[in-house]
Amino acid sequence: MAYQCPYPRQPQPQPFPSAPMQPHPAAVIGPQFCAPYPVDLAVVKKVMTISDGNFVVTDINGNVVFKVKGSLLTLRDRRVLIDAAGNPIVTLRRKIMTVHDRWQAFRGESTDPKDLIFTLKRSSLIQFKTKLDVFLAHNTTESVCDFKVKGSWFEQSCTVYAGESNTVVAQMHKKHTVQSILIGKDHFMVTVYPNVDYAFIVALIVILDEINKDADERE
């Protein structure tokens, strides 16, 4: 007579499926601006100035990574993000006569539609807190945003999310320093998550500043 096990046969545990990678695009402006580790940047904004280059972005060692310059004739409607060597990376241009504070970003110093990288606008007309929707150039329907920005300079922080998800791709907060108090500068720290384009994140912060200044002037 064959031996029978007195215990019922237990089903074998199945391995949990691995978590899928987040589908957000990493290289928005260029793969050279993506790192496989978190990137910390310092953004220094001169408060009391109307001259060129009121933004300087450095790494944690104080090395200049980006600067922002504007045209004296269109100081508030056009910004150019340049690298440490002075090469133009992206041009940021406000679209005139739009109700949602719409901005466009183009490669280099171009403003040709074929060089469009992304478009940014307010999520809604009436906002108690700043919420911005970002649409990459291929997202022409703009039914769902590719990135979302929540926060402002006045709140002293902002967060960038992948699409409509809760996946954080970058965070900014204000750093209080003696220099910021005595010399009239705003000093912010930005953490860009791994494999996220940090030039793209800086471009979003520059536009956020312009939109916040416009809102402040309207009040």
Side-chain angles (χ1 to χ4, degrees), residues 1-49:
M1 182 177 177
Y3 172 75
Q4 291 185 346
C5 177
Y7 304 105
R9 186 178 183 83
Q10 299 295 320
Q12 293 296 315
Q14 297 298 314
F16 290 103
S18 58
M21 294 294 291
Q22 293 298 329
H24 65 81
V28 177
I29 295 177
Q32 68 271 35
F33 302 118
C34 299
Y37 48 81
V39 174
D40 291 314
L41 299 171
V43 180
V44 178
K45 172 195 169 190
K46 300 174 185 177
V47 180
M48 304 299 291
T49 182

Side-chain angles (χ1 to χ4, degrees), residues 6 9 28 54 86 90 97 109 137 142 168 180 197 201 213 216:
R9 186 178 183 83
V28 177
N54 65 331
V90 60
M97 304 299 290
E109 290 188 286
E142 297 188 357
V168 176
S180 65
D197 190 321
I201 299 299
K213 282 193 292 188
D216 188 42

Side-chain angles (χ1 to χ4, degrees), residues 6 20 45 55 72 88 111 154-155 163 179-180 190 197 203:
K45 172 195 169 190
F55 276 94
L72 292 176
T111 53
F154 307 126
E155 297 166 31
Q179 185 185 49
S180 65
V190 181
D197 190 321

